[in-house]
Amino acid sequence: MSMFSTGILVLTSPLHTLPLRIAPVLSSAAQRVERTLYVHLHPGLNLGSGSQPRPVFIPPAVDLSNLITRLYSNAADVCGHLDVCVLLTNVRAQSVACSGATTPNGPFPTPQALSHSPEVVLTDFALQDPGQTHQVTQCLQSYTGHCYACRPGLPSVLLHPELMKLQEEDVPEAQQEKAEPLQTYNDVVVGGTFDRLHGAHKTLLSISCLLANRRFLIGLCDHAMLKKKVLKELIEPYSVRVQRLQEFLQDVKPSLQVEVVPLDDPFGVSIVDPLLECIVVSEETRKGGEAVNKKRIENGLPALVLHEIQLLKDAHHTEIEEEKISSSSLRARLLGTLLTPPKDNAHLPPLPYVIGLTGGSGSGKSAIAKQLEALGAVWIDCDKLGHEVYQPDAAAYHKVLEEFGSDILSEDKTINRRALGRKVFGNQERLKVLTDIVWPEIALLVQKRINQARDEDKQVCVVDAAVLLEAKWQNLVHEVWVTIIPEEEAVLRITERDGVTAEDALRRLQSQWSNSKQVAHANVVLSTLWEPEVTRKQVLKAWNLLQKRIQQKQEGH
């Protein structure tokens, strides 16, 4: 069975039967398509009549809105690896479809170009006579080519889900009644983070596209609105999120005027734009929508219609994840995985494979290093090596005394690190003088330990170093792993562990690289925010994936 990267699924079943068919149809489509699946809706399309059907406008209806929700929910359950996108170019309110001089030839005056070029077209059309197969596939090719820019001779696949054909009499009467129309609006607004577009985002955006006739305004969380987000360091950059939104919406409904604006407070432009008519919310964000309306009324503007959609349940959530499909759950699933491929490290011997483990004070870095050691890694603790370089027989000892004076010595002639710390605290120039002496010496000891591990045929070393990135020791390691926790949690841990004030703990954290800055250099990110068992599972996942990478590298992949 041939696999294709991108496909278009043309759904032809009547609207009231599709909710029951959609899961097996998607499951069947996922056996043919491995990356992007576009879905085109044309309920009642007859591909076996002998005449060539044309696309028509479909009016927005409540059933259609419910189907979109069902489709994205089913897609998350049965083909979560696929990037599914429901296309709505041919869905338009009758009044809008009839009023414009721009659509004399129906929804597709010219074939619509999609972000990913389709390689196959699939359909749920029920073939009555096997002898019609060639005719139906030809008809499907021609129909799809009229709607979307496809290469000539696009392969066609008739899907046959294992589902009993629904007869009209099997469908409850209520579902056979005339479809309830969906109220539409010229200008619609939504707000959100839209990090790593998932099924719940796509449902919200798609239903907003159903409701909007002219303009769709999106307030995209930025800066202050991200501060309280779980694992905010893993949120995609604003520019990436804008690009993904625009690409998705250009595919879904290119006729819409889409505006994406930064959202730095809970309201944004929704409380000052006089043209807005409707705000789309979920049961979770309804209170936010009501707060927007209160502000609008205070500003002398009419209240917005609140259109509420249901949250999508996440069938695969773990104990630390939300029950709904959410970006925070997706970010949690990234922990322990390879976020960015390692940079070229051809100068390093392939074994031992060296992990550089770093993170802010209180982030649980050493606890992770211990777990990795228990799994078989050699733990190289740079804090201990830092103590070694201050010993009287170490090369750095005399250089430090020469630079900072003998008054930093204890009675036993060892360097008093607290006394030395007072001399450099708050003085970046003097601190740099010290680190220029000490860091190269620690790096030499690290290299010595790595060489020793190689002589002992060890497979993996973990260089546990708080200053790994500041000291530019990336050239010593194959991968950089960063541990992160929120700043407020780090303050609590430091005050409890070291007996210092919260102000001192915060000053210490602010003197280090921020989580975001460290994550920007990370190949793998871990977090000890949750229970120890959760961290253990994370570390084990990271370790197992690392073993696969090492094996692939040895096999030359």
Side-chain angles (χ1 to χ4, degrees):
M1 187 183 289
S2 299
M3 287 295 287
F4 302 90
S5 177
T6 303
I8 296 182
L9 171 60
V10 178
L11 293 177
T12 67
S13 299
L15 203 54
H16 58 263
T17 69
L18 269 172
L20 293 175
R21 294 181 183 274
I22 200 65
V25 168
L26 287 172
S27 183
S28 188
Q31 294 175 35
R32 294 289 191 152
V33 178
E34 54 190 357
R35 193 184 69 173
T36 304
L37 181 67
Y38 292 110
V39 179
H40 173 90
L41 298 165
H42 190 149
L45 174 66
N46 187 352
L47 295 169
S49 65
S51 59
Q52 182 60 50
R54 292 281 178 176
V56 295
F57 281 112
I58 301 168
V62 173
D63 281 355
L64 189 57
S65 173
N66 293 339
L67 173 65
I68 288 170
T69 303
R70 181 73 166 262
L71 195 149
Y72 279 119
S73 177
N74 285 166
D77 289 345
V78 303
C79 54
H81 64 287
L82 279 183
D83 178 14
V84 175
C85 175
V86 181
L87 305 171
L88 301 174
T89 304
N90 60 327
V91 179
R92 199 172 300 183
Q94 202 63 36
S95 57
V96 178
C98 295
S99 63
T102 56
T103 57
N105 299 318
F108 301 95
T110 57
Q112 177 186 339
L114 298 169
S115 299
H116 304 284
S117 183
E119 298 171 5
V120 65
V121 57
L122 314 102
T123 186
D124 67 336
F125 181 73
L127 198 64
Q128 303 298 324
D129 176 6
Q132 283 189 309
T133 301
H134 179 70
Q135 175 193 318
V136 169
T137 54
Q138 291 290 105
C139 191
L140 179 62
Q141 277 180 11
S142 178
Y143 175 87
T144 309
H146 184 90
C147 300
Y148 304 103
C150 307
R151 63 180 176 82
L154 194 70
S156 303
V157 177
L158 307 182
L159 301 175
H160 303 289
E162 294 176 7
L163 183 71
M164 287 179 63
K165 188 180 176 186
L166 285 170
Q167 302 297 328
E168 284 297 316
E169 57 267 22
D170 295 332
V171 181
E173 281 185 27
Q175 291 186 26
Q176 293 183 41
E177 291 173 3
K178 191 175 179 183
E180 180 187 347
L182 192 67
Q183 177 64 49
T184 61
Y185 309 89
N186 281 335
D187 295 62
V188 173
V189 64
V190 301
T193 308
F194 297 104
D195 177 41
R196 293 178 169 80
L197 280 186
H198 52 63
H201 290 145
K202 292 175 181 180
T203 302
L204 174 64
L205 294 167
S206 299
I207 291 175
S208 299
C209 287
L210 276 186
L211 298 170
N213 294 325
R214 186 181 74 89
R215 181 174 65 127
F216 182 21
L217 178 64
I218 302 169
L220 186 60
C221 292
D222 197 19
H223 301 308
M225 292 294 288
L226 302 178
K227 281 186 177 176
K228 297 296 182 185
K229 298 287 184 185
V230 176
L231 299 171
K232 66 179 184 290
E233 298 85 1
L234 297 181
I235 293 174
E236 293 172 316
Y238 180 84
S239 59
V240 172
R241 288 180 284 136
V242 169
Q243 183 184 343
R244 298 249 165 96
L245 279 169
Q246 289 174 335
E247 181 181 289
F248 176 77
L249 294 168
Q250 179 63 26
D251 281 340
V252 172
K253 196 171 180 181
S255 62
L256 272 187
Q257 176 188 332
V258 174
E259 295 176 20
V260 184
V261 295
L263 191 60
D264 291 320
D265 63 65
F267 304 108
V269 296
S270 67
I271 60 173
V272 295
D273 190 323
L275 298 177
L276 293 174
E277 297 173 357
C278 172
I279 183 168
V280 185
V281 297
S282 67
E283 57 197 82
E284 192 180 63
T285 60
R286 185 176 184 88
K287 285 187 178 177
E290 291 168 352
V292 164
N293 276 341
K294 188 178 176 185
K295 289 280 189 183
R296 281 182 70 88
I297 291 166
E298 287 173 7
N299 291 341
L301 295 172
L304 302 174
V305 174
L306 266 61
H307 184 96
E308 186 177 317
I309 65 167
Q310 66 185 79
L311 295 168
L312 299 192
K313 297 293 184 186
D314 185 351
H316 309 290
H317 72 94
T318 66
E319 70 269 24
I320 66 165
E321 297 172 355
E322 298 178 88
E323 286 189 12
K324 62 169 188 172
I325 293 176
S326 74
S327 297
S328 58
S329 295
L330 295 183
R331 290 194 293 276
R333 288 170 201 175
L334 291 174
L335 296 172
T337 67
L338 191 68
L339 298 179
T340 55
K343 291 181 180 173
D344 179 36
N345 44 41
H347 65 286
L348 296 175
L351 291 176
Y353 199 86
V354 185
I355 300 301
L357 179 64
T358 190
S361 187
S363 65
K365 176 172 52 68
S366 295
I368 286 174
K370 284 178 186 173
Q371 291 185 39
L372 290 168
E373 182 182 43
L375 289 167
V378 174
W379 178 12
I380 300 173
D381 186 346
C382 289
D383 194 45
K384 288 182 179 175
L385 298 184
H387 284 283
E388 285 186 31
V389 300
Y390 287 115
Q391 295 304 310
D393 58 345
Y397 179 84
H398 297 289
K399 293 178 186 175
V400 171
L401 285 185
E402 188 179 321
E403 187 63 48
F404 293 96
S406 59
D407 57 331
I408 62 171
L409 289 178
S410 300
E411 287 183 11
D412 61 359
K413 299 301 180 184
T414 59
I415 291 174
N416 184 324
R417 293 177 72 180
R418 286 200 170 187
L420 178 58
R422 285 193 290 271
K423 291 205 171 195
V424 298
F425 183 76
N427 187 328
Q428 289 299 314
E429 283 186 25
R430 296 301 285 159
L431 180 61
K432 186 174 186 311
V433 169
L434 177 61
T435 57
D436 283 350
I437 294 170
V438 173
W439 285 352
E441 296 300 323
I442 297 175
L444 288 173
L445 290 178
V446 168
Q447 191 60 63
K448 185 178 176 182
R449 297 291 193 281
I450 293 171
N451 292 341
Q452 185 179 332
R454 184 177 303 111
D455 293 342
E456 295 170 2
D457 292 325
K458 301 294 184 183
Q459 295 286 302
V460 178
C461 288
V462 175
V463 177
D464 172 5
V467 297
L468 182 88
L469 299 171
E470 293 97 317
K472 296 183 170 58
W473 290 343
Q474 297 98 310
N475 65 328
L476 296 175
V477 304
H478 293 88
E479 293 180 17
V480 173
W481 291 16
V482 172
T483 64
I484 58 171
I485 55 168
E487 185 175 80
E488 56 271 23
E489 176 67 17
V491 168
L492 286 173
R493 291 184 185 183
I494 295 167
T495 54
E496 192 176 303
R497 182 189 68 192
D498 300 344
V500 298
T501 65
E503 291 74 20
D504 285 342
L506 191 57
R507 263 197 299 273
R508 186 187 303 178
L509 289 168
Q510 290 172 344
S511 71
Q512 300 170 354
W513 278 27
S514 68
N515 282 346
S516 296
K517 191 173 180 181
Q518 293 194 65
V519 167
H521 291 78
N523 302 110
V524 173
V525 174
L526 299 159
S527 178
T528 61
L529 178 59
W530 299 279
E531 297 298 316
E533 177 60 17
V534 175
T535 302
R536 191 191 68 77
K537 287 179 181 177
Q538 254 182 64
V539 173
L540 185 59
K541 175 169 80 170
W543 177 262
N544 289 337
L545 291 172
L546 172 66
Q547 297 307 309
K548 287 182 182 176
R549 292 198 291 280
I550 293 172
Q551 186 177 351
Q552 287 171 349
K553 198 164 185 180
Q554 288 176 330
E555 292 171 355
H557 295 311

